[in-house]
Amino acid sequence: DQQVKQNSPSLSVQEGRISILNCDYTNSMFDYFLWYKKYPAEGPTFLISISSIKDKNEDGRFTVFLNKSAKHLSLHIVPSQPGDSAVYFCAAKTGTASKLTFGTGTRLQVTL
Amino acid sequence: DSGVTQTPKHLITATGQRVTLRCSPRSGDLSVYWYQQSLDQGLQFLIQYYNGEERAKGNILERFSAQQFPDLHSELNLSSLELGDSALYFCASSVGSPISLSYNEQFFGPGTRLTVL
């Protein structure tokens, strides 16, 4: 049972344009959401997060939006840069539990 | 560099064998997590240790076991290996606490790629 879903396995965006990565979840108990970025041969690195009490969190070029009623979150990268090319994982956690539930990832390629 | 080290980087073995994966957390981190990433899948949580004690368990097979030692390094033991156990195994660490109301960032190691032939 995939509780966190990333339905787009890949995305290609031109440098300078906006990248939008989407994530859906089914477990209404999730109250904290994260995006991780992963380069080849490296482990995932934390990018940005959002609590369920917010609907937006911004950090530089990265903004995460949360729509609780739709159980949907998205990551916006503006402007996209070639160094952003990586696999992006959406993850979620519940309450005081530390374990993360990950989506299957979206491979972003930013082209020149 | 996250500060989390995992050895070995690659491991090739045969079905039925047993292997041990090792993880050294970041200095000062008390929590260690193990995740499995099979082909085209997300990372699946296996198990968490906090300061030597098992804290949470995910979908970890009975053939798999883990422990965290007094020096806080952790080992994941996989036995009676099957072809389907081929995957990337990630270790992560965090400052952690037994129960945390806020998120303690998990720092991931580079992973161990296990291939079972």
Side-chain angles (χ1 to χ4, degrees):
Chain A
D1 176 29
Q2 194 72 27
Q3 297 186 56
V4 178
K5 300 178 186 179
Q6 295 177 257
N7 293 317
S8 298
S10 64
L11 175 67
S12 183
V13 172
Q14 238 177 354
E15 181 181 12
R17 307 295 285 264
I18 184 171
S19 295
I20 300 176
L21 295 91
N22 294 303
C23 178
D24 298 294
Y25 62 97
T26 57
N27 188 344
S28 57
M29 298 300 292
F30 287 143
D31 59 5
Y32 199 85
F33 303 89
L34 309 94
W35 285 93
Y36 274 79
K37 175 179 178 178
K38 184 183 179 305
Y39 292 117
E42 295 182 12
T45 55
F46 170 73
L47 190 58
I48 192 169
S49 63
I50 187 167
S51 164
S52 61
I53 62 174
K54 296 186 175 181
D55 55 18
K56 177 182 174 181
N57 188 27
E58 198 169 347
D59 183 2
R61 297 186 297 113
F62 303 91
T63 303
V64 56
F65 294 93
L66 175 62
N67 182 332
K68 282 181 64 178
S69 60
K71 293 192 175 70
H72 176 85
L73 63 154
S74 61
L75 174 67
H76 293 211
I77 306 174
V78 183
S80 300
Q81 299 174 355
D84 296 329
S85 298
V87 177
Y88 289 79
F89 290 98
C90 172
K93 67 183 290 292
T94 60
T96 57
S98 297
K99 75 164 199 174
L100 298 175
T101 301
F102 282 85
T104 52
T106 296
R107 183 178 303 277
L108 172 66
Q109 182 166 7
V110 180
T111 59
L112 298 173
Chain B
D1 184 358
S2 66
V4 178
T5 60
Q6 289 187 248
T7 56
K9 286 188 177 178
H10 302 276
L11 198 49
I12 301 175
T13 188
T15 54
Q17 294 299 304
R18 171 190 169 96
V19 296
T20 298
L21 313 184
R22 182 189 169 103
C23 169
S24 293
R26 291 187 325 151
S27 175
D29 284 357
L30 298 179
S31 273
V32 170
Y33 311 78
W34 286 97
Y35 292 86
Q36 177 194 55
Q37 185 187 16
S38 301
L39 189 63
D40 294 332
Q41 299 294 310
L43 283 73
Q44 301 289 322
F45 170 74
L46 296 178
I47 198 164
Q48 177 199 358
Y49 278 83
Y50 174 78
N51 203 20
E53 293 188 4
E54 182 183 304
R55 181 58 54 190
K57 221 169 186 177
N59 296 325
I60 186 167
L61 299 171
E62 284 192 13
R63 300 183 286 109
F64 295 3
S65 65
Q67 57 186 134
Q68 186 179 27
F69 294 87
D71 67 353
L72 300 177
H73 91 271
S74 178
E75 293 181 355
L76 179 66
N77 300 296
L78 316 175
S79 62
S80 302
L81 285 167
E82 301 175 359
L83 296 177
D85 297 328
S86 295
L88 264 171
Y89 291 84
F90 288 103
C91 169
S93 74
S94 71
V95 171
S97 62
I99 297 175
S100 175
L101 293 176
S102 63
Y103 174 67
N104 290 308
E105 182 179 342
Q106 293 181 28
F107 294 85
F108 283 79
T112 291
R113 182 173 293 280
L114 173 66
T115 302
V116 183
L117 302 176

